[in-house]
Amino acid sequence: MSTPVLTRVAAVPLGRRSALVLALASVAGLMMLVWPLLLQVPEGTRVDPPFLFLALLPVVVAVVLAEVSEGGLDARVLAVLGVLSAVNALARAISPGIAGVELVFFLLVLGGRVFGPGFGFVLGCTSLFASALVTAGVGPWLPYQMLVAAWVGMGAGLLPRRPRGRSEIAMLVVYGIVAAYVFGALMNLSGWPFTLGVAVPGHEGDLSYVAGAPVLENLHRFAIYTLLTSTGGWDTLRAVTNTVAIVLLGPSILAVLRRAARRATVTGSVTGSVTGVRDGS
């Protein structure tokens, strides 16, 4: 006797073309962050913010969203995306990054974990965009925030699928800590090259970006700048917030999201034969 076996796919399935566009856009976004370090100009030349990049980055994000959504954003998945984006926007509104206490990232990690990398990428973009509208945080930094948050959600969806229970929570905690520091470092990198006269109390010397200087020299300046200005404060508190939220709320939220995923994701049927049935058929 044959019986249908249901198979579940990701809420936003990634085809080969979508995965390629996502990879190329990620590389392009990374280049938009690190290009000052690779700039070959006479040392000491003034470098202005890349207004062309600022105009292109939202376009890159829009293209990726279109490609990722082409195969999976039906009405049910779109409803889940809208709810999670709204919750993230509200969470950021009541904890607008004060001293690094931000509640937007742990739900982004959990959503990407359950629904997959494509959904995580889209959720990162929509969550940061919606929260910027709610908190009046729209500015030239917003496209970078959207892109880096999208990477956080996508990375959560790419984590190994096998762990469950306590091991899964432990894995998500480690990821949440790493993501907190990476987000802080990349957002620092988006603005640091264009900040003149960077001086940090307790450190002698200028930590400003020097156009045309060797890459390792600028990376050394940036590492010290990030360590002294955000790593020990904002980023660490963001990591602690992620850890506490995932440990305390992670198991219950994962269960709720997985129930929603079973109803929202597309299912197909694969016909297979079942042997050993009692009636002998």
Side-chain angles (χ1 to χ4, degrees):
M1 183 180 69
S2 297
T3 182
V5 179
L6 293 180
T7 58
R8 186 161 52 88
V9 299
V12 182
L14 288 179
R16 291 184 178 180
R17 189 176 71 174
S18 296
L20 178 60
V21 171
L22 190 62
L24 291 177
S26 295
V27 172
L30 186 60
M31 290 302 299
M32 292 177 189
L33 286 168
V34 305
W35 71 269
L37 301 176
L38 308 176
L39 195 62
Q40 297 295 323
V41 295
E43 187 169 337
T45 301
R46 179 186 175 123
V47 176
D48 293 320
F51 294 109
L52 178 60
F53 278 1
L54 292 178
L56 288 178
L57 189 54
V59 176
V60 171
V61 173
V63 170
V64 172
L65 291 178
E67 287 293 334
V68 170
S69 63
E70 69 174 350
L73 279 182
D74 63 9
R76 293 169 297 177
V77 176
L78 192 60
V80 175
L81 177 65
V83 170
L84 292 181
S85 299
V87 171
N88 265 340
L90 179 61
R92 200 177 188 206
I94 63 177
S95 59
I98 298 176
V101 179
E102 295 176 300
L103 296 176
V104 66
F105 291 100
F106 92 95
L107 189 56
L108 178 57
V109 170
L110 299 179
R113 169 64 177 170
V114 172
F115 288 94
F119 186 92
F121 188 96
V122 177
L123 179 61
C125 290
T126 56
S127 294
L128 268 292
F129 181 74
S131 66
L133 296 180
V134 171
T135 61
V138 178
W141 54 84
L142 178 57
Y144 292 106
Q145 288 181 333
M146 291 171 60
L147 184 63
V148 179
W151 287 339
V152 172
M154 180 180 68
L158 293 173
L159 292 173
R161 309 304 299 177
R162 183 179 297 274
R164 284 292 188 270
R166 293 183 178 179
S167 60
E168 180 182 34
I169 295 300
M171 179 182 68
L172 294 178
V173 165
V174 173
Y175 180 79
I177 293 172
V178 173
Y181 288 108
V182 170
F183 181 88
L186 290 179
M187 289 310 303
N188 285 343
L189 186 58
S190 69
W192 169 73
F194 317 110
T195 303
L196 302 178
V198 178
V200 179
H203 181 271
E204 296 182 2
D206 187 10
L207 294 177
S208 300
Y209 162 77
V210 178
V215 174
L216 292 180
E217 179 181 327
N218 271 324
L219 282 176
H220 178 70
R221 290 170 178 264
F222 174 70
I224 296 176
Y225 167 78
T226 297
L227 182 65
L228 295 179
T229 58
S230 68
T231 300
W234 291 70
D235 298 343
T236 295
L237 286 174
R238 185 184 297 115
V240 171
T241 302
N242 288 346
T243 299
V244 173
I246 290 173
V247 169
L248 295 181
L249 303 177
S252 58
I253 292 179
L254 284 173
V256 171
L257 291 180
R258 285 186 171 125
R259 283 197 296 269
R262 285 193 291 270
R263 298 179 179 180
T265 53
V266 180
T267 58
S269 60
V270 178
T271 302
S273 59
V274 179
T275 59
V277 181
R278 290 184 178 181
D279 60 7
S281 58

